[in-house]
Amino acid sequence: MRNEASPESSKREAAVSNLAHRRAYRSTCGYCKATSRTSVAQSLWAYTLRVHDYQVLLDRGWRRSGMSVYQPNMQRTCCPAYTIRLEVDAFSPSKDQARVLRRMQRYLDGTYEGPVTVGEIQKDDQKLTSQRPGKVTSNSSPATPSDKDQSVNEKLLSNGRQNSGKKRQPDVLDESGRKLSLAIQCSIAGCVELGVLSPDFNQQDVTVRKFAEKAHGKLKDLDGQVEYTSNVAFAIAAAMKRKRNGTVQIDQRLGIDNETGLSKEELLPEHIAEILASRLQHSDLCGLIVQACKGHLNFLMSESKAGSDTSSPMEVSTSQGDPAQGVHQCEPRKQPLQEANGQKGGTQKLLVAPRLTVKTRQLEIKMQKSAFDAEEFALYKKYQIIVHNDRPEEVNENSYRGFLIDTPLIYVPPESNGSTPACGFGSFHQQYRIDGKLVAVGVVDILPHCLSSKYLFWDPDLSFLSLGKYTALSEIKWVQEASKVCPSLKYYYLGYYIHSCPKMRYKAAYAPSELLCPVRYTWVPYNLVRSHLDDSPFVCLSDVAVSKALASENGGKVPPSEHEDKEEVEAM
């Protein structure tokens, strides 16, 4: 019978895996930082490797690095490494993972510019979660005081009262002054939600004062008559600086305060006042307009308002969406009163509030076959030097190629019969670009049953976007979509889970995950064996699963496992 297969198909069928055995080896451990060579593993050198064969090796606890395929000696190594995977159809993002997705969306929408570092974002997220269980969306508006805004602001104010040296007596204000004070409070609460301010900063009460007549002559840059003023930006800036305790240095590479997570410019009252003024433009200010001047929030009356008791002189902004969008691009209004025509009966003077400019961004994710790319290597070098503190001379092209470019996997091009995803099987680099700039690269292997995540490097300048988490969620989404074309693709492999290393436990957050038993090579739910990993670094996971299943049938009594019996016999 004649074979009608294509030449490429025949070539793939003829291809075989070619591996050479290499002896077991010891090395220093990068997880427990032991000074001696306590990490024990065995390895194979793969000249060629079929994707189906590598899938089998993955399910036996092996993993590749370049052309080398290795497996930890689980009973002898210092930090046992369990293969971990996730069935993507069962995945449901946690609150923290959902926040990462929302933060990226706000960044792309132009409503978030990332003023803080990853560590500060995580700390703020935890505190905000405990205060407000609801979602934060890019369309939320604090234009009117809500219970949520007031609850956040009450914490801000209570912190200020508890930590201030002496009690401040609140000024006696009229109705307009009280409304302005409440509007500022809501503006601060909105900044907390966006991550611009942190709720644990100690702050003074928001104060609004009637503007003194004798001070009018000192403010030459203002347009209109000042009615009220507030110096709340100075109180916020002072509280943020106190948090530094006078001992924290600015990171010269990133320009970020290591303690507060803010740059020098963002600690200035002028910067804080401009942000608050941007949000206040969309609030009810009793017919007044707000302007930031040298760190003060000044509330002015337009000439038309001063001359008559007619309606508000403020022009309606054409900006749509989140009132905080573009706050970092917003600049104080410099122009005097502008003439606006179109009103029947003549010309009316309008005081135009500064319009917020929104810079939207475009994210592009592209899967490419593994190959050297100079732009990728430049990003990798920057990442290794800044994030992992590698010396520049250590990060060279040869080591990069051997680690992330060279692959033994035999590429399988896409088929139209549902046996492969659209990109085929093999080794790939998934590029993430924002407005054309490369910001992250995920190095992955796509196999018959899974996407295996190998390595990730990203732009340290965008650390506030939590790109490690975002790209993992994107890879999970990719498998979910690819499975519609190739039904055999069901899993996302996250590499090794090392319970004895706290930094590696984050992988279990992509739930419900499974761990590979190192003895019987069966998959066991992570939640079922988590507590046992606290007691011993090496565990026969399948025995734990069987014991718990029998215990549930026997009313809670746990029988000895087969593995334990075997060890006792061997010891006799």
Side-chain angles (χ1 to χ4, degrees):
M1 184 175 180
R2 186 178 177 182
N3 187 358
E4 298 293 338
S6 65
E8 283 293 327
S9 177
S10 300
K11 181 180 177 181
R12 292 197 304 273
E13 290 175 1
V16 295
S17 298
N18 185 5
L19 297 92
H21 183 264
R22 302 174 74 181
R23 63 182 181 178
Y25 64 92
R26 288 179 174 269
S27 62
T28 56
C29 181
Y31 301 109
C32 64
K33 307 296 182 183
T35 55
S36 58
R37 303 169 75 85
T38 55
S39 179
V40 185
Q42 55 186 337
S43 68
L44 301 170
W45 184 262
Y47 296 97
T48 59
L49 185 59
R50 298 195 312 163
V51 292
H52 290 81
D53 292 337
Y54 185 44
Q55 178 72 67
V56 173
L57 287 172
L58 274 183
D59 293 335
R60 301 285 289 185
W62 293 79
R63 186 165 176 78
R64 81 170 185 91
S65 176
M67 304 292 287
S68 176
V69 186
Y70 64 97
Q71 180 193 51
N73 187 318
M74 297 290 282
Q75 294 186 345
R76 296 175 60 191
T77 192
C78 55
C79 297
Y82 299 85
T83 302
I84 184 171
R85 75 177 185 183
L86 166 73
E87 186 176 359
V88 295
D89 286 342
F91 173 69
S92 178
S94 65
K95 290 182 179 179
D96 176 67
Q97 292 159 355
R99 279 194 294 269
V100 170
L101 295 174
R102 291 197 300 269
R103 187 180 299 133
M104 173 62 82
Q105 190 59 54
R106 293 203 307 271
Y107 183 74
L108 298 176
D109 291 342
T111 62
Y112 175 67
E113 297 300 322
V116 292
T117 60
V118 171
E120 193 69 22
I121 284 176
Q122 292 172 344
K123 188 166 84 171
D124 290 351
D125 283 344
Q126 292 170 0
K127 291 182 177 294
L128 285 171
T129 300
S130 63
Q131 295 167 14
R132 50 174 186 84
K135 289 186 177 181
V136 179
T137 65
S138 58
N139 295 322
S140 60
S141 172
T144 57
S146 64
D147 293 338
K148 174 179 63 178
D149 295 332
Q150 291 175 350
S151 65
V152 174
N153 194 64
E154 284 171 2
K155 177 171 176 60
L156 292 170
L157 298 180
S158 63
N159 283 344
R161 296 190 192 100
Q162 293 169 3
N163 292 279
S164 58
K166 54 184 180 180
K167 273 195 172 182
R168 296 185 53 151
Q169 296 298 327
D171 297 337
V172 178
L173 292 174
D174 55 17
E175 182 65 22
S176 295
R178 287 193 292 271
K179 284 187 177 181
L180 294 176
S181 178
L182 183 58
I184 294 175
Q185 293 174 20
C186 292
S187 177
I188 294 174
C191 290
V192 169
E193 292 183 2
L194 289 176
V196 178
L197 298 177
S198 175
D200 65 340
F201 289 137
N202 300 326
Q203 298 192 42
Q204 303 292 329
D205 293 340
V206 174
T207 57
V208 175
R209 304 190 310 274
K210 289 283 290 184
F211 196 73
E213 290 290 336
K214 61 182 180 180
H216 276 285
K218 300 179 181 179
L219 302 178
K220 300 178 181 180
D221 297 333
L222 295 176
D223 304 316
Q225 177 181 335
V226 181
E227 295 293 319
Y228 298 89
T229 186
S230 175
N231 63 354
V232 66
F234 289 88
I236 295 174
M240 295 161 75
K241 289 179 180 179
R242 281 197 300 270
K243 188 173 179 65
R244 298 170 60 191
N245 295 324
T247 61
V248 182
Q249 296 180 348
I250 298 294
D251 190 316
Q252 297 299 323
R253 292 176 298 183
L254 302 178
I256 297 296
D257 186 313
N258 294 327
E259 178 69 18
T260 63
L262 297 170
S263 66
K264 288 180 178 179
E265 291 76 13
E266 291 168 335
L267 291 173
L268 296 176
E270 291 84 351
H271 178 83
I272 297 171
E274 289 178 11
I275 292 176
L276 294 177
S278 298
R279 294 190 66 87
L280 285 167
Q281 293 170 32
H282 300 263
S283 301
D284 179 11
L285 301 180
C286 304
L288 304 174
I289 65 167
V290 62
Q291 188 175 32
C293 180
K294 300 178 181 178
H296 292 271
L297 289 175
N298 296 310
F299 299 89
L300 299 81
M301 184 181 296
S302 69
E303 290 184 3
S304 59
K305 176 75 174 179
S308 65
D309 292 327
T310 57
S311 59
S312 169
M314 188 172 178
E315 180 184 65
V316 178
S317 171
T318 58
S319 298
Q320 300 293 325
D322 191 329
Q325 56 192 350
V327 292
H328 296 298
Q329 287 81 33
C330 179
E331 295 184 357
R333 178 175 48 81
K334 305 282 185 185
Q335 299 294 329
L337 294 173
Q338 299 182 11
E339 300 291 330
N341 295 319
Q343 293 285 342
K344 187 175 181 180
T347 300
Q348 180 184 11
K349 286 185 176 181
L350 296 179
L351 189 59
V352 181
R355 295 188 179 183
L356 301 176
T357 59
V358 180
K359 181 181 179 181
T360 59
R361 302 174 176 87
Q362 183 176 1
L363 172 65
E364 180 186 6
I365 304 176
K366 185 178 181 181
M367 189 78 76
Q368 296 191 150
K369 288 179 62 177
S370 180
F372 180 80
D373 182 294
E375 187 180 14
E376 286 188 2
F377 175 66
L379 180 61
Y380 169 79
K381 188 170 186 176
K382 178 181 181 181
Y383 169 79
Q384 292 295 131
I385 292 173
I386 295 179
V387 177
H388 292 291
N389 298 314
D390 288 357
R391 290 178 295 183
E393 60 272 16
E394 294 176 339
V395 188
N396 55 67
E397 186 177 317
N398 287 335
S399 63
Y400 171 70
R401 285 179 179 271
F403 180 35
L404 297 178
I405 303 300
D406 296 342
T407 175
L409 295 185
I410 301 171
Y411 175 66
V412 178
E415 299 278 3
S416 59
N417 58 5
S419 61
T420 68
C423 61
F425 293 134
S427 298
F428 298 86
H429 285 201
Q430 193 167 41
Q431 293 185 343
Y432 297 78
R433 294 181 180 274
I434 296 180
D435 288 345
K437 180 184 177 183
L438 186 67
V439 299
V441 177
V443 182
V444 301
D445 291 328
I446 299 178
L447 305 175
H449 300 300
C450 73
L451 181 151
S452 175
S453 180
K454 186 179 184 300
Y455 198 71
L456 172 78
F457 52 94
W458 40 266
D459 190 345
D461 295 339
L462 299 178
S463 59
F464 56 84
L465 291 176
S466 305
L467 289 172
K469 295 179 182 178
Y470 183 82
T471 54
L473 294 169
S474 297
E475 289 169 356
I476 293 171
K477 181 66 174 177
W478 186 94
V479 179
Q480 290 173 336
E481 293 299 322
S483 65
K484 298 176 183 177
V485 178
C486 178
S488 66
L489 268 171
K490 297 180 179 180
Y491 298 99
Y492 176 56
Y493 282 53
L494 296 89
Y496 287 132
Y497 172 82
I498 303 174
H499 193 76
S500 58
C501 179
K503 291 192 302 182
M504 299 298 289
R505 294 186 183 183
Y506 74 91
K507 297 183 179 183
Y510 299 91
S513 53
E514 298 175 303
L515 298 181
L516 182 67
C517 175
V519 178
R520 295 186 174 85
Y521 301 114
T522 57
W523 293 98
V524 180
Y526 168 77
N527 288 336
L528 199 63
V529 297
R530 177 178 53 190
S531 60
H532 291 263
L533 293 171
D534 292 331
D535 301 330
S536 173
F538 174 76
V539 177
C540 179
L541 303 179
S542 57
D543 281 359
V544 173
V546 171
S547 296
K548 289 196 172 184
L550 292 175
S552 62
E553 295 177 1
N554 298 332
K557 185 177 180 181
V558 181
S561 66
E562 296 179 10
H563 185 63
E564 292 172 348
D565 293 341
K566 182 179 178 181
E567 289 180 343
E568 291 177 1
V569 171
E570 291 177 349
M572 292 178 61

